Amino acid sequence: MAVTALILYLIFGVLAFGWRSWIRYRRSGSTGFRGIHGKPGSLEWWAGVGFIMAIIVGVAAPAAQLLGFLTPVAALQNPWIQALGTVLAVTGIAATLYAQLDMGESWRIGVDPGETTALVRHGVFGTVRNPIFTAMVVFAGGITVMTPNPIALSAFIVLWATIELQVRAVEEPYLRRTHGEAYGDYCATVGRFVPGIGRTENPVTR
């Protein structure tokens, strides 16, 4: 399963980051990468650094298991659990690409405080505010179940934590500043990561 996990990680990276950035560059002249923002040690900085580290460690975990440096958790070595992990990982890849396409020209990695993008509320974004991050968590969860060693489990926890930090401390404040009442209304009606959960009251209409 470690080999399959590495292959799926490669496919995810090529499609979700490489291919999507290439498409955006051809259409707009920008790859969509905005880098890490914030002063070192700030919440914004930790969100970016943590995200990158979680991906690096997430790739290293199945590689280390394949090379025999790590031993998977025995209780999670059941074939049907491994198969479930594969299904989750493939589903996560497909869902990530689908959500990226729905986001259109507003797609980017990171936040540029001086940039204004359209507030996307159609398609899957009409059901969940952060479907790309949701899909990434599903993918990472699948990979973790496929290669359930301690490092993979730690990488999943770090990824989940940094996604929460990125959304709550970086992206939501930026979108509130940029779109004001429209974004407040969006947050009040659409869940953060799953439908109906994570809705927040619009302060403008209180």
Side-chain angles (χ1 to χ4, degrees):
M1 273 295 169
V3 174
T4 304
L6 285 172
I7 292 173
L8 289 176
Y9 237 119
L10 176 62
I11 292 173
F12 179 83
V14 169
L15 294 179
F17 297 117
W19 175 77
R20 189 65 187 90
S21 296
W22 179 72
I23 292 295
R24 196 181 191 284
Y25 180 78
R26 288 192 61 187
R27 292 176 177 174
S28 66
S30 170
T31 62
F33 282 87
R34 298 296 179 262
I36 299 173
H37 291 278
K39 295 180 181 180
S42 66
L43 292 178
E44 294 87 348
W45 185 84
W46 277 115
V49 170
F51 186 78
I52 293 172
M53 291 304 299
I55 292 177
I56 293 174
V57 176
V59 174
Q65 182 172 311
L66 179 65
L67 294 173
F69 296 133
L70 292 174
T71 302
V73 177
L76 297 177
Q77 284 292 91
N78 191 295
W80 75 265
I81 295 180
Q82 303 271 288
L84 175 61
T86 304
V87 171
L88 288 173
V90 172
T91 300
I93 293 173
T96 299
L97 297 177
Y98 185 86
Q100 286 178 336
L101 291 174
D102 265 359
M103 197 170 188
E105 297 305 312
S106 292
W107 179 84
R108 74 274 187 269
I109 297 175
V111 170
D112 180 353
E115 182 181 33
T116 299
T117 58
L119 179 60
V120 180
R121 299 186 61 170
H122 62 266
V124 69
F125 287 86
T127 304
V128 180
R129 300 201 308 268
N130 300 282
I132 296 175
F133 283 138
T134 299
M136 290 182 67
V137 169
V138 171
F139 167 76
I143 294 295
T144 303
V145 172
M146 291 173 69
T147 55
N149 58 65
I151 301 300
L153 294 170
S154 299
F156 178 75
I157 293 171
V158 171
L159 178 65
W160 194 326
T162 54
I163 284 177
E164 287 276 1
L165 187 61
Q166 174 71 17
V167 168
R168 295 172 185 267
V170 180
E171 299 203 358
E172 288 185 353
Y174 160 76
L175 290 169
R176 284 191 184 278
R177 291 192 304 269
T178 303
H179 298 287
E181 184 177 356
Y183 184 69
D185 177 67
Y186 183 42
C187 291
T189 56
V190 177
R192 182 178 279 115
F193 294 112
V194 294
I197 299 177
R199 291 180 295 181
T200 59
E201 186 176 0
N202 186 349
V204 178
T205 59
R206 283 188 299 181

